[in-house]
Amino acid sequence: MNVAFFLIPKKDIVYLKEKSTMRQALERMEYHSYSAVPLIDNDGKYVGTITEGDLLWKLKNTPGLTFHNTEDIHLSEVEQHVQNLPVTIDAQIEDLISRAVVQNFVPVVDDQQTFIGIVRRREMIEYCSQLLLQRKVE
């Protein structure tokens, strides 16, 4: 089974452009109750994942930075402490599972590294659970 079976397409998820501001990220993450969001560049390429922790570290380590002036800081200026490595659309379930151990979601890209969506850990766990239940019945 490949990634396409689990893919949540880009149009159905929250992501941010790396030129978005910290304030936009904070507000969007709060509104959707997300702790991490994929980042893409102007060409639609996946460039990383921004986390609440990344934003908090930037706030803590930047003298004079407050919530009110986070609108002056672009996400490209925020260091990413966690690297959510993407998989390509033709990856297999085994490739996803190893990443899901440490990532809430796995970004999916096409052959040109264009971001096309994510696979959430929840769907992978549900799939594995169904497989185990089927084996139990047999």
Side-chain angles (χ1 to χ4, degrees):
M1 178 154 312
N2 70 16
V3 171
F5 180 78
F6 300 100
L7 182 72
I8 300 170
K10 177 180 168 182
K11 69 178 183 62
D12 295 334
I13 63 164
V14 173
Y15 63 89
L16 292 164
K17 299 254 179 139
E18 65 180 343
K19 293 297 180 190
S20 299
T21 66
M22 276 183 70
R23 178 128 183 199
Q24 290 170 319
L26 288 164
E27 289 174 350
R28 203 152 210 205
M29 291 167 89
E30 177 186 29
Y31 179 80
H32 293 284
S33 298
Y34 289 160
S35 59
V37 178
L39 288 179
I40 62 170
D41 66 14
N42 285 337
D43 296 324
K45 309 277 189 217
Y46 173 74
V47 294
T49 296
I50 196 76
T51 68
E52 289 175 325
D54 298 333
L55 299 171
L56 287 170
W57 283 111
K58 180 68 174 177
L59 195 60
K60 177 189 177 290
N61 294 323
T62 305
L65 184 60
T66 66
F67 176 74
H68 297 291
N69 58 9
T70 55
E71 61 196 28
D72 299 327
I73 306 293
H74 292 272
L75 295 179
S76 58
E77 302 172 56
V78 177
E79 182 181 350
Q80 297 170 33
H81 294 87
V82 175
Q83 296 302 316
N84 275 14
L85 300 174
V87 296
T88 58
I89 190 65
D90 59 352
Q92 297 298 310
I93 184 71
E94 295 80 11
D95 302 318
L96 291 173
I97 291 172
S98 63
R99 287 194 171 94
V101 171
V102 293
Q103 297 177 198
N104 290 336
F105 63 86
V106 179
V108 182
V109 297
D110 66 13
D111 293 339
Q112 285 78 43
Q113 299 304 305
T114 300
F115 178 71
I116 59 174
I118 64 169
V119 175
R120 292 185 299 203
R121 180 170 28 200
R122 177 177 28 168
E123 279 77 17
M124 289 181 270
I125 291 172
E126 287 172 354
Y127 172 76
C128 291
S129 175
Q130 289 173 355
L131 285 178
L132 290 173
L133 287 174
Q134 288 174 355
R135 288 184 181 167
K136 206 175 198 182
V137 172
E138 295 171 356

